[in-house]
Amino acid sequence: MTVAPVPSRTQYVLEEIRHAVLIGRLRPGQPLVETELAAHFGVSKTPVREALKTLAGSGLLVMSQYKGVTVRTVDAAMAREVYDVRLLLEPEALRRAVERSADLEADLGAARDALVRAAAATDPAEHSLAGGDFHRALCLPCGNPLLARMLDDLRDQAALVSAVVWAADPSGEREDAEHREILRLALSGDAQGAADALRQHLAGFVHRAFPGDGTSH
């Protein structure tokens, strides 16, 4: 029997803080104090400090010489920047994934699983996280590791935007229906149709959440 390795203290702290931010337990703008977090997790300040640096690098936290470490605040400008890049990259990644796949059911199985988890989620935050997993699973089989990594680098910021928007205005039924249609088109082998549906889905979300941005896609 193979025993899974125990996560390092830093990784454990990182994942706990990340999850707390993305489900709204730690709120945008909330300060994070190393000594308090170390006492909470029962570790020294070193793994906490490293975890905070990593999460700041991923865009979830902000490190300031004057304010210390705080949870990143989501505003319209930040959301549009993140979604502008997603609009450029995600539909192309999905188009490539569908075109190159020899077994769409297998390659997109994780996306289907994420939809099942979203449907079973009991609160908006967990539903939003499952939605993020769905988007990631669509793009991973694109065949370009650099493209997949670029999208992964945006993952936490996109999840933070989604979590904040969902906390204010849950839209589960609409999101689920759009996700199902994207997956249906992808599984049918319609690469361009799936990419177009994904583009409309992303653009629609940011326009509903932050109307009046004056951009067009």
Side-chain angles (χ1 to χ4, degrees):
M1 178 179 177
T2 302
V3 179
V6 177
S8 70
R9 287 183 175 88
T10 298
Q11 189 64 29
Y12 165 71
V13 172
L14 187 155
E15 292 300 333
E16 288 294 311
I17 294 174
R18 177 181 181 271
H19 189 70
V21 170
L22 295 181
I23 66 171
R25 190 181 303 141
L26 294 174
R27 308 295 298 174
Q30 181 173 339
L32 302 180
V33 181
E34 284 184 14
T35 52
E36 293 177 0
L37 290 169
H40 175 76
F41 292 116
V43 299
S44 70
K45 290 196 295 184
T46 299
V48 172
R49 187 177 301 120
E50 292 304 312
L52 295 179
K53 287 180 181 177
T54 300
L55 290 169
S58 73
L60 275 189
L61 307 179
V62 176
M63 305 188 84
S64 165
Q65 180 179 353
Y66 304 103
K67 295 183 179 180
V69 182
T70 56
V71 179
R72 184 168 186 177
T73 299
V74 173
D75 58 21
M78 177 266 197
R80 289 168 194 146
E81 287 177 2
V82 171
Y83 271 74
D84 190 43
V85 177
R86 291 185 73 186
L87 279 160
L88 290 171
L89 299 182
E90 275 196 35
E92 177 63 15
L94 175 56
R95 186 186 67 78
R96 293 185 180 202
V98 174
E99 286 186 345
R100 71 185 296 273
S101 176
D103 187 345
L104 287 166
E105 288 287 344
D107 289 340
L108 298 177
R112 188 191 296 278
D113 292 343
L115 288 190
V116 172
R117 285 192 289 110
T122 56
D123 69 86
E126 293 295 342
H127 189 289
S128 180
L129 289 176
D133 290 341
F134 169 77
H135 280 268
R136 183 172 189 265
L138 291 178
C139 298
L140 274 180
C142 69
N144 185 324
L146 178 58
L147 177 56
R149 279 199 304 274
M150 290 172 70
L151 286 166
D152 259 356
D153 287 343
L154 281 177
R155 188 182 182 202
D156 280 350
Q157 294 181 64
L160 182 58
V161 172
S162 295
V164 170
V165 171
W166 272 65
D169 182 25
S171 54
E173 291 184 6
R174 181 200 294 262
E175 299 294 312
D176 287 349
E178 292 178 358
H179 285 172
R180 286 194 298 269
E181 177 62 10
I182 292 165
L183 184 60
R184 183 192 70 78
L185 290 165
L187 289 173
S188 74
D190 185 353
Q192 191 58 54
D196 290 343
L198 176 55
R199 183 176 293 105
Q200 292 170 9
H201 166 69
L202 292 171
F205 178 84
V206 76
H207 286 313
R208 289 193 302 272
F210 302 97
D213 64 5
T215 61
S216 59
H217 298 282

